[in-house]
Every structure is written in structure tokens, then in C-alpha cells.
Amino acid sequence: MSDRFVASKTNPIDDCDALLKRAVSTCRSVNLLGFTDDMPALFERISQETGLPLTLRQDNRSRYPALSLSDRQLDVIRNHNTIDLRLYETMRAERNSNKFIRLLRKTGLLGS
């Protein structure tokens, strides 16, 4: 494991805003960013924009029933993952903007 990874697991986060800014910058550097909680819509949008016949399938089905969390458990998770939640919300908002179409054009998946 890299020193940076080990430090990220053991050292407290000193500057949440700087960490978030770096994470947003990293996410912006990828050509296509999708979210698994909205995978069917992502596949549909890419299929519509590119004309490719994409279908969503699930190869690795769990043998366990779907688990649910209480509102209190979800609040605890949110409170312990504030930077992750801010990153998710920031990138989700950008993904829902016209930037998505520009990225498809940049990668050549969508004509001019």
C-alpha cells in the first residue's frame, strides 16, 4: 500500500475543504462519471446519446436478501461521511448539467 493511502486511514483530516477540492478535481479529470444508484438512467442516456444498444444486466446476484437501514442508521452514516456526501452531491449536480454531453463529445462517443 502506498504511504498516502496508509496516511489517509490513520491521520485525521486537517482541511476538509482542501480534501474535497482535490477530490472534485480528480473526478473532473475522468471522461465519464456515472452513479450506481441511477445506473438504469445512465445506461439509457448513454444509449440515447450514442445510438449504442446498451442493456443493463446483473451477473453477480447476491444470495442474501436486500438489507435496509433505519433513519437513525442513515443519519450516523451521513454524519461520518460528510466529505463523501459533499463530493457525491457536487459531482451529481455537475453530471446533471450539460457537462455530461460535452464529455461524451470530447470522448468521441457523441458527434459534434
Side-chain angles (χ1 to χ4, degrees):
M1 287 190 271
S2 73
D3 292 338
R4 182 176 165 201
F5 177 79
V6 172
S8 75
K9 297 297 177 195
T10 57
N11 297 339
I13 298 170
D14 294 330
D15 187 347
C16 293
D17 291 331
L19 181 62
L20 177 64
K21 185 177 180 179
R22 199 167 63 242
V24 167
S25 176
T26 300
C27 287
R28 286 178 178 157
S29 72
V30 300
N31 287 327
L32 183 59
L33 185 65
F35 299 88
T36 58
D37 62 330
D38 198 18
M39 191 68 81
L42 174 65
F43 265 60
E44 178 64 26
R45 188 161 184 190
I46 292 172
S47 181
Q48 287 174 355
E49 298 293 340
T50 63
L52 298 173
L54 299 178
T55 55
L56 184 63
R57 69 177 205 226
Q58 183 177 357
D59 291 329
N60 298 317
R61 296 185 188 276
S62 173
R63 64 178 188 254
Y64 302 104
L67 301 175
S68 61
L69 299 172
S70 70
D71 289 340
R72 184 166 183 247
Q73 290 168 320
L74 289 171
D75 286 341
V76 168
I77 292 168
R78 286 185 194 101
N79 289 334
H80 286 264
N81 294 280
T82 56
I83 297 172
D84 297 309
L85 187 56
R86 287 173 59 194
L87 176 63
Y88 170 82
E89 290 169 347
T90 299
M91 300 316 300
R92 185 89 175 175
E94 284 192 14
R95 202 285 315 258
N96 289 333
S97 72
N98 288 332
K99 184 177 182 181
F100 180 78
I101 302 304
R102 290 193 302 273
L103 288 173
L104 286 174
R105 286 190 176 118
K106 179 180 173 185
T107 60
L109 291 174
L110 181 66
S112 311

